[in-house]
Amino acid sequence: DVKVTQSSRYLVKRTGEKVFLECVQDMDHENMFWYRQDPGLGLRLIYFSYDVKMKEKGDIPEGYSVSREKKERFSLILESASTNQTSMYLCASSLRALYGYTFGSGTRLTVV
Amino acid sequence: AQSVTQLDSQVPVFEEAPVELRCNYSSSVSVYLFWYVQYPNQGLQLLLKYLSGSTLVESINGFEAEFNKSQTSFHLRKPSVHISDTAEYFCAVSDRGSQGNLIFGKGTKLSVKP
């Protein structure tokens, strides 16, 4: 089974800190995605990547950046954390559309 | 552009009752359809998917979904729910020709009461 591993389940950071959320997948998937999940808003796509060193903005990229230096790792960066970035962050990977996504367990980030 | 509408944000039911979670999508092309389940404080897990062939697809834990092309729907059903089915359910659609992006609905919280 494909595994997508997010480095932290719970994270508490201070306003203004630079925050790194790490995601690693072990099945050589080309496509990787970062979402945030908030009550009533569902999943909102932040960034995605179809290949190493490639990134595309999703629906809500403001305040975030990403890095994909290796195929298996896709990092989400909060340049200067703010309280409105308190959320559940979900990473996913996929091979092709028909296979759907495999999700990590999520990182619940609280910015204080 | 594609979109997915889950008509109910919350569905409360009693244990052993039947349930239907509704999902409609808009797309002008052929699609793949998915249902994901999210248990509290976890990531999403694939429940079932429609790729082609039989319009009725089943999961291992008793859920089923039927693809209806004319109504652009993919409703999820279970004839008798358990307390353990309490979770949030997400419908998703992907163009057959796409790289792999899924469009998600906003989710339906199923709450099963004893």
Side-chain angles (χ1 to χ4, degrees), chain A residues 31 94-101, chain B residues 31-34 36 46 48-52 93-102:
Chain A
N31 308 325
S94 77
L95 188 58
R96 288 186 188 84
L98 80 163
Y99 298 113
Y101 290 179
Chain B
V31 296
Y32 300 128
L33 294 158
F34 305 84
Y36 284 83
L46 181 64
L48 49 75
K49 62 183 176 183
Y50 170 78
L51 302 181
S52 64
V93 63
S94 176
D95 280 345
R96 285 174 179 261
S98 78
Q99 184 86 10
N101 282 26
L102 297 186

Side-chain angles (χ1 to χ4, degrees), chain A residues 29-71:
Chain A
H29 284 179
E30 284 101 3
N31 308 325
M32 297 189 75
F33 307 85
W34 273 107
Y35 288 87
R36 65 175 282 176
Q37 182 181 17
D38 301 288
L41 298 178
L43 298 169
R44 292 183 291 169
L45 182 63
I46 305 172
Y47 268 96
F48 60 100
S49 169
Y50 291 150
D51 203 351
V52 175
K53 297 193 186 293
M54 177 269 181
K55 60 185 178 185
E56 292 281 351
K57 292 180 180 179
D59 301 318
I60 53 162
E62 296 78 18
Y64 303 93
S65 62
V66 289
S67 172
R68 194 162 181 204
E69 296 295 318
K70 293 185 178 181
K71 193 173 188 179

Side-chain angles (χ1 to χ4, degrees), chain B residues 49-94:
Chain B
K49 62 183 176 183
Y50 170 78
L51 302 181
S52 64
S54 173
T55 57
L56 187 66
V57 290
E58 298 176 354
S59 73
I60 57 172
N61 59 353
F63 282 93
E64 63 180 30
E66 186 158 20
F67 168 54
N68 188 318
K69 188 175 181 180
S70 63
Q71 296 187 7
T72 58
S73 68
F74 191 54
H75 302 331
L76 182 70
R77 294 188 289 260
K78 189 170 185 180
S80 176
V81 293
H82 303 288
I83 299 284
S84 59
D85 293 323
T86 294
E88 191 159 17
Y89 293 80
F90 291 90
C91 182
V93 63
S94 176

Side-chain angles (χ1 to χ4, degrees), chain A residues 70-101:
Chain A
K70 293 185 178 181
K71 193 173 188 179
E72 67 269 20
R73 185 181 296 271
F74 192 36
S75 304
L76 180 69
I77 304 156
L78 285 66
E79 297 290 344
S80 177
S82 63
T83 54
N84 63 10
Q85 292 178 310
T86 290
S87 186
M88 169 73 103
Y89 289 87
L90 292 166
C91 176
S93 73
S94 77
L95 188 58
R96 288 186 188 84
L98 80 163
Y99 298 113
Y101 290 179

